[in-house]
Amino acid sequence: MEAMQHYTATSTAKTPPPHTGVARFLDACYHRQPDATPVWFMRQAGRCLAEYRALRQKYDMLTMVKTPELSTEVTLMPVKTFGVDAAIIYSDILTPLEAMGVSFEIRHEVGPLIHHPIRNQQDVENIRIPNGPEIAPYMMQAIQMVRREVEGKQAVIGFAGAPFTMACYLIEGRPSRDYRNAKAMMYSQPELWHALMEKLTTVTQSYLGEQVQAGVDAVQLFDSWVGALSPSVYERYVQPYVRRIFDSVKQTGIPAIHFGTGTSALLESMTAAGGDIIGLDSHVELDEGWERVGFEHGVQGNLDSILLLTEWPVIESAMRDVLKRAANRPGHIFNLGHGVLPPTNPDLLRQLVEAVHAETQR
Ligand code: CP3
């Protein structure tokens, strides 16, 4: 099988050629000192790029996600334009819903809309648990195509939405400020909540397993909205499921990144749930966050995305602050605190990648 010939898919040969993006990225994941700090950006493949916007004139987002050639093309755009060390597959956290029998769309500048939000026991029972190969097979093709294109120079990152964040979308049906329906279900109908989390966990495990088989170098679990919970609530209603997902990724030998936003109160609980690298958003200082996560783990982050809407000297000084706090410890993956904002000037992202590499050259 193709994935098995890839050095990251075997436990014996984890050292790729030095001075490539994938080497830097995996060095950070495995806590070795890389030749320079690896950099990539969440939402790097998106609307800040003119070529992306031009393609989107022709196709809607889900068409692009479901067409491996187009998904590959978009995945590679930021690799070429910014010189990042990793390619994240162009898809969405919602894509596995189709195989689960949940109909949805992604509406431009609004976000995901679920056509029949999950609100009662019947809705939860109606959710299908697909077999692994049924879940977004087009993404697995895109992974194989991207891997061939990057030729081992950049890491290929797969991902999934975490059960809490997926449940928020499924229950609210649309982006929400406070996830009131989801949290109300969690508090008042815990059995129904747990049944939903159980299903989402099972599907997420299979989905990430498929991506590993298709050849990703690492996976990121996006628990973007988990900052809405306190530690004790997280530990009771969410953590057991997230732990099961990380346990199953661990068995594959592929490194995992655990990401959330608004997680200042949750870093210890999220770290306990799993992940080799813990995402830090821009509400924490990188050194303080890292200390709480524990230096035996790596961290990813955490330049404020909004800085990229300003000018280079402002960005550069904030970048230096992040790097100073990382203090050359192994295990830092440079990223933003959250995704690239659509109005970002791509030249600044390219300049940022270059500067992080230059400043951290070892
Ligand atoms: O470059 C990458 O990061 C890889 C691709 C990727 C996208 N979405 C592309 C996308 C990934 C990993 C995601 C994950 C995702 N999707 C998350 C978790 C990450 C996060 O930001 O916390 C969430 C919450 C979603 C749900 C979602 N999909 C939202 C909120 C939106 C934005 C709505 C909008 O129009 O601003 C989407 C759509 C989406 N996903 C776009 C992209 C590039 C914009 C699509 C477009 O209009 O062209």
Side-chain angles (χ1 to χ4, degrees), residues 245-318:
I245 293 168
F246 282 111
D247 284 350
S248 66
V249 175
K250 196 162 210 150
Q251 284 174 12
T252 68
I254 290 290
I257 306 168
H258 190 174
F259 171 78
T261 66
T263 53
S264 305
L266 291 179
L267 290 176
E268 291 82 359
S269 313
M270 284 176 68
T271 306
D276 302 285
I277 304 276
I278 308 298
L280 299 177
D281 75 3
S282 305
H283 295 108
V284 291
E285 306 300 351
L286 187 121
D287 48 346
E288 289 167 21
W290 202 344
E291 191 169 2
R292 285 173 52 201
V293 161
F295 293 117
E296 70 284 6
H297 284 87
V299 290
Q300 175 172 279
N302 73 344
L303 194 82
D304 191 342
S305 310
I306 291 169
L307 280 158
L308 270 302
L309 305 182
T310 70
E311 54 277 4
W312 177 247
V314 179
I315 301 165
E316 185 181 38
S317 112

Side-chain angles (χ1 to χ4, degrees), residues 40-47 52 56 60-61 64-65 74 78 88-94 106-112 159-161 165 169 175 220 222-225 259 261 338-339 342:
W40 70 283
F41 304 116
M42 290 175 277
R43 293 274 170 90
Q44 62 189 10
R47 283 176 299 188
Y52 174 80
R56 279 280 282 105
D60 68 23
M61 181 181 178
M64 283 164 59
V65 162
V74 175
I88 182 161
I89 302 298
Y90 177 74
S91 180
D92 199 83
I93 57 170
L94 278 302
I106 294 181
R107 195 166 294 173
H108 189 55
E109 290 185 0
V110 175
F159 66 90
T165 295
Y169 278 113
Q220 175 156 321
F222 284 94
D223 214 349
S224 303
W225 311 141
F259 171 78
T261 66
H338 200 171

Side-chain angles (χ1 to χ4, degrees), residues 138-157:
Y138 37 83
M139 183 184 189
M140 311 312 147
Q141 287 172 25
I143 290 168
Q144 290 169 351
M145 291 171 72
V146 169
R147 265 198 41 204
R148 275 197 293 276
E149 293 286 328
V150 300
E151 299 176 310
K153 293 195 184 79
Q154 283 81 25
V156 179
I157 306 176

Side-chain angles (χ1 to χ4, degrees), residues 99-291:
M100 298 167 78
V102 177
S103 127
F104 71 100
E105 65 188 280
I106 294 181
R107 195 166 294 173
H108 189 55
E109 290 185 0
V110 175
L113 295 179
I114 309 290
H115 297 139
H116 304 286
I118 307 293
R119 294 285 167 86
N120 57 41
Q121 189 173 345
Q122 192 56 53
D123 296 335
V124 173
E125 279 171 14
N126 287 347
I127 295 176
R128 264 190 87 226
I129 304 220
N131 295 322
E134 292 176 277
I135 311 172
Y138 37 83
M139 183 184 189
M140 311 312 147
Q141 287 172 25
I143 290 168
Q144 290 169 351
M145 291 171 72
V146 169
R147 265 198 41 204
R148 275 197 293 276
E149 293 286 328
V150 300
E151 299 176 310
K153 293 195 184 79
Q154 283 81 25
V156 179
I157 306 176
F159 66 90
F164 177 78
T165 295
M166 296 297 285
C168 284
Y169 278 113
L170 285 172
I171 297 165
E172 301 297 337
R174 55 180 59 240
S176 155
R177 218 171 248 279
D178 55 11
Y179 320 106
R180 60 183 65 183
N181 296 293
K183 287 174 71 178
M185 182 198 284
M186 180 181 82
Y187 288 127
S188 70
Q189 297 175 269
E191 279 179 21
L192 190 55
W193 173 262
H194 286 296
L196 176 59
M197 295 299 272
E198 193 70 47
K199 284 190 156 180
L200 288 168
T201 299
T202 303
V203 175
T204 305
Q205 287 174 310
S206 319
Y207 184 39
L208 291 174
E210 291 295 312
Q211 295 179 39
V212 170
Q213 277 208 355
V216 295
D217 295 295
V219 295
Q220 175 156 321
L221 192 70
F222 284 94
D223 214 349
S224 303
W225 311 141
V226 77
L229 304 178
S230 74
S232 66
V233 170
Y234 174 80
E235 282 163 26
R236 182 159 167 194
Y237 295 101
V238 177
Q239 192 189 50
Y241 302 101
V242 174
R243 180 172 282 140
R244 271 161 53 189
I245 293 168
F246 282 111
D247 284 350
S248 66
V249 175
K250 196 162 210 150
Q251 284 174 12
T252 68
I254 290 290
I257 306 168
H258 190 174
F259 171 78
T261 66
T263 53
S264 305
L266 291 179
L267 290 176
E268 291 82 359
S269 313
M270 284 176 68
T271 306
D276 302 285
I277 304 276
I278 308 298
L280 299 177
D281 75 3
S282 305
H283 295 108
V284 291
E285 306 300 351
L286 187 121
D287 48 346
E288 289 167 21
W290 202 344
E291 191 169 2

